[in-house]
Amino acid sequence: MKKLITIILILPVLVLTLSGSTNQDLAAPVVNIDVVDKVLATQAFDLNLVANEPVDYNIKYGDFEINEVAQNYRISLLALEGNNKIEVKATDGAGNSSEYIVDVYGIELLKPTVESPSKVIAGQAIGISSSWPESDIEAKFISVSVDGEAANVFFINNVARVITASKLGSEPREINIEVSLEDNFARTVKVDKVVSIVADPRPVQELNIPASTLSAITDEGREKERAMLQELYAESAKNTSPLWNSAFILPISGTGTSGFGVPRRYVKGGNVSYHHGEDLAAGRGTKVHATNDGIVLVAGFFAIKGGFVAIDHGAGVISFYLHQSKLLVEAGQKVSKGDIIGEVGTTGLSTGPHLHWEMRVNKIATDPMDWVGKIVP
Ligand SMILES: [Zn+2]
């Protein structure tokens, strides 16, 4: 009984061996390929191969190539972008081979283009703009970090924007910007940019303001202005969205006299401070226009700033207009670009009729001339 079982077991093995040597195999292997025709680029997908006999597989996909001996074989591949071919070659033990080509479409990533200046002078505003092509893929979330800190991203005309600034007189350094765009398939593309801040070594301007003029400004007057600024910045922080959607304009058609950022002393031997605005020379009574749409935060007379108007443009951008003789707007009033807000004068700490114009970004003074004719600097 024991012997019989042994014989029965051996017999099929013999039959298989004989058939291999006597009948020559001329048939090419047949492979069943199971794979998706459309997949998200950068994500893994399975390629399933089922052959009618053991074969030596050669699989090519983009730069990837693999050889594997198997009958049934499954491999996970990382999807390439766009239309790509998977080439499968199966060769059996007798050297017969068959080839298959399957197209796999990798749904593209949403790639943002990022525009930012490569170099700015300390005190210049840095405008960062990001957009992406129209496609079936939707942008779900965009974030921008400036030196590792999340920035306020806002949209004007469908372009994602961030405005940041480095303080006047700050040391040369590099600002690192990272734009991160996530699509509706939870895929994220990151773009890095570097902005170099360079120093602006200009000679110190001596204003030689008479001591009597300066002494006329009381501590109480200074404190009132400081408190007013603190309050207006707090009020402006509530408006994280932009209130403008077109280019900024010059508030008056005057000519620049003292440029933004000039280091200067008010009195001989005094401390050096930076000029936070652009002085535009114009005759007394010249109409002053809002540089862009916004809401009036402050309109009033102060010891140093004189006839002062502050307009909040939203997204951390505020414009200041100083030394006016007459104010024609009130706090809380909505203004449109070009609206008359006051008249040029020489009130406050001023040596002659001119408009001192400032453009503040998150409290930091930036070069106003950088904004003229642009939606963001
Ligand atoms: Zn000035």
Side-chain angles (χ1 to χ4, degrees), residues 141-180:
F141 187 69
I142 182 163
S143 64
V144 177
S145 75
V146 177
D147 280 342
E149 273 193 48
N152 174 34
V153 182
F154 55 91
F155 286 81
I156 298 178
N157 305 341
N158 292 320
V159 175
R161 300 165 196 271
V162 162
I163 303 176
T164 184
S166 65
K167 277 194 177 119
L168 274 166
S170 57
E171 290 298 311
R173 66 186 182 101
E174 288 190 335
I175 291 184
N176 293 294
I177 294 159
E178 186 180 82
V179 175
S180 175

Side-chain angles (χ1 to χ4, degrees), residues 101-309:
I101 292 174
V102 190
D103 285 326
V104 172
Y105 184 77
I107 300 167
E108 287 90 349
L109 290 158
L110 200 53
K111 293 187 200 78
T113 38
V114 179
E115 280 174 51
S116 64
S118 56
K119 195 166 88 177
V120 297
I121 296 166
Q124 276 185 308
I126 301 161
I128 303 154
S129 305
S130 182
S131 54
W132 41 89
E134 279 283 325
S135 83
D136 296 339
I137 310 147
E138 279 172 43
K140 204 178 123 203
F141 187 69
I142 182 163
S143 64
V144 177
S145 75
V146 177
D147 280 342
E149 273 193 48
N152 174 34
V153 182
F154 55 91
F155 286 81
I156 298 178
N157 305 341
N158 292 320
V159 175
R161 300 165 196 271
V162 162
I163 303 176
T164 184
S166 65
K167 277 194 177 119
L168 274 166
S170 57
E171 290 298 311
R173 66 186 182 101
E174 288 190 335
I175 291 184
N176 293 294
I177 294 159
E178 186 180 82
V179 175
S180 175
L181 182 68
E182 188 188 320
D183 68 16
N184 52 342
F185 298 111
R187 296 178 300 173
T188 301
V189 176
K190 286 180 178 171
V191 177
D192 291 312
K193 290 272 180 176
V194 174
V195 182
S196 298
I197 308 292
V198 296
D200 175 20
R202 276 186 284 184
V204 175
Q205 193 182 29
E206 303 291 345
L207 294 182
N208 296 320
I209 290 172
S212 57
T213 310
L214 283 174
S215 62
I217 300 161
T218 61
D219 286 348
E220 197 194 338
R222 286 178 203 279
E223 178 52 31
K224 194 182 154 200
E225 287 196 25
R226 201 196 56 77
M228 176 271 290
L229 283 178
Q230 203 168 19
E231 209 173 301
L232 81 80
Y233 285 133
E235 184 63 28
S236 146
K238 295 174 191 167
N239 264 337
T240 52
S241 302
L243 300 171
W244 80 98
N245 58 17
S246 62
F248 286 76
I249 59 165
L250 266 177
I252 57 168
S253 48
T255 47
T257 52
S258 179
F260 168 80
V262 176
R264 56 196 204 172
R265 280 187 202 94
Y266 285 102
V267 289
K268 256 215 146 37
N271 291 331
V272 172
S273 61
Y274 289 93
H275 187 221
H276 285 149
E278 182 77 20
D279 288 343
L280 300 168
R284 195 188 301 267
T286 302
K287 302 281 184 269
V288 177
H289 304 266
T291 182
N292 217 328
D293 301 348
I295 295 167
V296 177
L297 286 168
V298 174
F301 284 84
F302 299 89
I304 301 166
K305 293 179 171 57
F308 173 70
V309 170

Side-chain angles (χ1 to χ4, degrees), residues 24-39:
Q24 229 196 338
D25 176 9
L26 293 170
V30 178
V31 182
N32 234 310
I33 300 177
D34 181 22
V35 68
V36 286
D37 57 356
K38 207 172 182 183
V39 65

